[in-house]
Amino acid sequence: MAFLLTAGCSLTPAYVRPEVQVPATLRASGTTGGPGPVVQRVPLTEQERRIAQTLAPGPELEDILQRGLARNADYQIADLTVERARAELRIQRAQRVPQVDVTAHAQRQHFDDDALDARYQQDLKSVGVGVNAFELDLFGRVKAMSAASRERFVASEHGRQALRGAVVAEILRAYVAEQAAATDQVHARSLQEAAQALLQFAVARQQVGVASTDEVNAYRAAADQAEVDVQRAVDRQRSALRALQILVGYGLVPNRIAFDAMTASSEVPQALGSLDSAILLTRPDVQQAEAELRAANADIGAARAAFFPSITLSTGVGTASEDLGGLFEGGSRSWTFIPQLSLPIFDLGRRRANLDLAHLRKRTEIVEYERTVQAAFREVADALDAVQTSASAQARSTQKAQESHQRAARALTRVSRGLHDPAVAVNARAEALREARSHLDTVRDQAFAQITLFSALYEVEYAPPATASK
C-alpha cells in the first residue's frame, strides 16, 4: 500500500514560464504591466569605479553598471556555471570518503525438491550499517579526478571574471554611444535651424531680385537634407538608447552629460607600454586557460591510474534473523567484509585510448593557453596604440572646433555692428556646428579606445614605472 502511494507522487517541480520584461509593442520605448522583478545590484570594483568616473563623473554611470551586471544574462549564466562547477567539485571530493548506508534486507529462497529445500532454503531478515564498494585510492585515480574538478572550478571563476570585464565594457560602450548620439541629435537640430535661416535669407534676397532661383533651390535642398539628417540622428539615438536599455533595463533614461568635454584617461599610455608583459599572466582569461591546462594534466594521472588494479571494499555490521522479532535478540549480530580486486585484462584498447585522449586534451590546452597569452598581448598593444592615436586626433579636433567657434563669434560681432550681412553669421555658426559634430566623433572614438584599454587590462594589477610620473 505504501509503495502504491509513493509511486503516485511526483517530485518534479511545476513548470512556470519565466516572465521577460520587454516593451508591449515593437516600437515602444518602455515596458508596461507593472514593474519588473527587483534585481539586487552588483557592487563595483575599484577599477570599474575608476573607469566610470573617468568617462562620466558622478553616481549615474556607476549605478548603470551595477544594474547592468545584475541583469546581464551572460553574467548570470557565468555565475550559475561557477555554482555548477562547485557542486561537481563537492561530488568528486565526496568520492574520496566512504559512504555509510543503512540497509534492510529480506531474502526468501525455497525449492520444490525437498532435499534441495532442506539444504538451501533461506528465510532471512537483516538490518545493518556499512560501507558499500568504497574504492581504496592506492594509485591516485580518485585524487587526480578530484584535482581536475578543482581546477575546472577555478577556471570557471576566472571565466566569470573575464566575462564580467567584457560585460562592463559593453555597457560602457553602449552608454557612450547613446550620449554621443543624443549630443549629435542636438547638433543636427541646430544645423537644421541654421539651414532654415539661410533659406529664409535667400528667399528674401530673391524677392528683392538679388538671389536667383537656382540659389534659392540650393538652399532649399540643403534645408531638406538637414531635416533628413535630424531624422537619422533621432533614429541613431533611439537605437543606441534601446541597446543600452536591453543591457540595463527599459526604465533607464540617462541624464545628459557634457559629452563634448569628456576627458581622456589619466593613465599615460607610454608608461603602460614600458611595463613587463608578464603582468598579462594575471588576466582572468589567461588564468582560466592555465587552470584548464592544469585540469587536463590531472586527467592524465587519472587515465594512467586506470591501468592498475582497482580495490574496492564493502563492509557492514548489523543483525540477522529468520523473523523480524528476532533481529534485536541476543546472538543475532552479523558482520560482513567483502574486499574486491579488479584488473581488466582485455578492453579492446579502451584504457589506452583514454590515456591518448587525455594527452591530446593537454596538448590542446597548451596551444589554447599560448593563444590566449598572445591574444592578450595583442589586445593590450592595440589598445595602447588606439589610445595614443585617438588622443592626438582629439587634441587636433578640439583646436579646430575652438577656432571654428571663435570665427562664428567674430562673425556675429561684425554682424551686430552692421559690418556684414546676417547670413554670414549664420554660415559661420553652421560651419562651427559641423566642426562640432566632427569633434564629437573624435571624443567618442577616444572614449571607445579608453574602454578597450580598460577591457584589455581588466583585473590586471600593475604599478606604472617610476619614470612615468616624472
Side-chain angles (χ1 to χ4, degrees):
M1 186 65 178
F3 171 76
L4 295 177
L5 292 176
T6 304
C9 298
S10 175
L11 301 180
T12 304
Y15 172 78
V16 179
R17 178 182 295 172
E19 294 185 4
V20 182
Q21 291 293 318
V22 293
T25 62
L26 295 180
R27 298 198 65 181
S29 59
T31 57
T32 58
V38 178
V39 180
Q40 194 71 24
R41 304 190 182 193
V42 177
L44 300 182
T45 65
E46 182 60 31
Q47 187 182 18
E48 292 165 351
R49 285 194 294 269
R50 187 164 59 248
I51 186 65
Q53 291 300 316
T54 298
L55 296 175
E60 183 189 42
L61 185 52
E62 291 188 20
D63 180 71
I64 288 175
L65 290 178
Q66 291 176 349
R67 294 168 58 181
L69 285 173
R71 285 179 51 89
N72 186 268
D74 292 332
Y75 189 62
Q76 293 179 27
I77 291 174
D79 267 338
L80 296 175
T81 301
V82 172
E83 294 304 319
R84 289 206 309 267
R86 180 181 284 111
E88 291 171 359
L89 175 59
R90 290 166 53 195
I91 294 173
Q92 196 62 50
R93 283 178 173 174
Q95 294 185 8
R96 302 182 64 182
V97 180
Q99 177 180 333
V100 180
D101 299 322
V102 175
T103 59
H105 179 72
Q107 180 176 353
R108 297 190 64 183
Q109 179 175 286
H110 292 276
F111 299 88
D112 291 338
D113 186 271
D114 293 338
L116 291 176
D117 190 63
R119 186 173 182 178
Y120 297 110
Q121 66 87 19
Q122 292 185 5
D123 192 354
L124 185 68
K125 286 83 174 177
S126 64
V127 176
V129 178
V131 175
N132 182 34
F134 172 66
E135 181 176 354
L136 300 179
D137 194 26
L138 300 180
F139 302 101
R141 187 185 72 87
V142 179
K143 181 180 179 181
M145 295 174 63
S146 179
S149 295
R150 182 178 65 252
E151 294 301 336
R152 291 192 171 94
F153 166 67
V154 173
S156 68
E157 288 189 316
H158 291 309
R160 175 178 60 181
Q161 287 304 107
L163 180 62
R164 173 172 176 146
V167 170
V168 171
E170 184 181 10
I171 296 172
L172 291 174
R173 290 190 186 96
Y175 177 81
V176 169
E178 197 279 332
Q179 291 286 354
T183 306
D184 183 65
Q185 180 181 341
V186 174
H187 292 335
R189 292 188 185 279
S190 299
L191 274 172
Q192 182 188 21
E193 295 174 359
Q196 289 291 340
L198 289 174
L199 175 60
Q200 293 175 3
F201 286 137
V203 171
R205 289 197 303 271
Q206 183 187 35
Q207 292 174 352
V208 297
V210 178
S212 65
T213 301
D214 291 340
E215 184 179 354
V216 172
N217 289 339
Y219 279 108
R220 182 173 287 109
D224 292 341
Q225 183 60 45
E227 184 176 356
V228 173
D229 288 344
V230 168
Q231 188 57 48
R232 288 175 178 171
V234 170
D235 290 343
R236 286 194 296 268
Q237 192 273 333
R238 287 177 178 174
S239 177
L241 177 60
R242 195 174 295 116
L244 180 61
Q245 287 177 334
I246 288 176
L247 294 172
V248 183
Y250 284 94
L252 173 68
V253 180
N255 297 324
R256 295 298 157 219
I257 62 175
F259 189 83
D260 293 341
M262 180 178 288
T263 58
S265 171
S266 59
E267 292 180 308
V268 183
Q270 294 87 344
L272 294 178
S274 61
L275 292 174
D276 189 351
S277 60
I279 65 171
L280 298 182
L281 298 181
T282 61
R283 276 193 14 159
D285 57 340
V286 176
Q287 294 187 64
Q288 179 186 13
E290 187 176 4
E292 292 287 358
L293 176 58
R294 290 195 297 264
N297 189 69
D299 286 338
I300 294 178
R304 285 175 174 173
F307 285 87
F308 295 90
S310 63
I311 301 175
T312 58
L313 176 64
S314 298
T315 183
V317 293
T319 63
S321 175
E322 294 184 354
D323 54 63
L324 294 176
L327 285 176
F328 303 101
E329 295 180 354
S332 63
R333 288 180 297 177
S334 65
W335 173 72
T336 59
F337 179 71
I338 310 174
Q340 179 178 349
L341 185 145
S342 174
L343 176 62
I345 298 176
F346 177 74
D347 60 0
L348 201 62
R350 180 178 61 85
R351 288 173 296 161
R352 171 57 60 182
N354 283 335
L355 181 58
D356 293 342
L357 180 61
H359 279 288
L360 290 173
R361 285 173 176 168
K362 180 181 178 180
R363 290 171 58 186
T364 303
E365 294 299 338
I366 290 175
V367 175
E368 182 66 28
Y369 176 76
E370 293 173 349
R371 183 178 67 173
T372 303
V373 173
Q374 293 169 355
F377 178 82
R378 186 198 64 205
E379 289 175 8
V380 174
D382 291 347
L384 290 173
D385 291 341
V387 168
Q388 287 183 305
T389 302
S390 59
S392 177
Q394 183 181 355
R396 290 193 296 269
S397 177
T398 300
Q399 183 179 358
K400 292 178 63 178
Q402 291 175 350
E403 292 174 352
S404 180
H405 179 74
Q406 291 170 1
R407 284 196 300 270
R410 288 193 296 268
L412 183 61
T413 301
R414 288 193 295 269
V415 169
S416 64
R417 295 176 180 176
L419 301 177
H420 282 304
D421 187 89
V424 175
V426 177
N427 266 320
R429 178 169 176 267
E431 181 62 29
L433 287 171
R434 282 189 286 270
E435 197 61 50
R437 295 186 77 180
S438 178
H439 174 63
L440 179 66
D441 292 338
T442 62
V443 175
R444 182 194 57 204
D445 292 343
Q446 170 66 0
F448 283 164
Q450 180 57 38
I451 294 171
T452 302
L453 181 60
F454 156 81
S455 179
L457 292 175
Y458 185 73
E459 290 288 297
V460 174
E461 297 182 0
Y462 58 90
T467 56
S469 60
K470 295 182 181 179

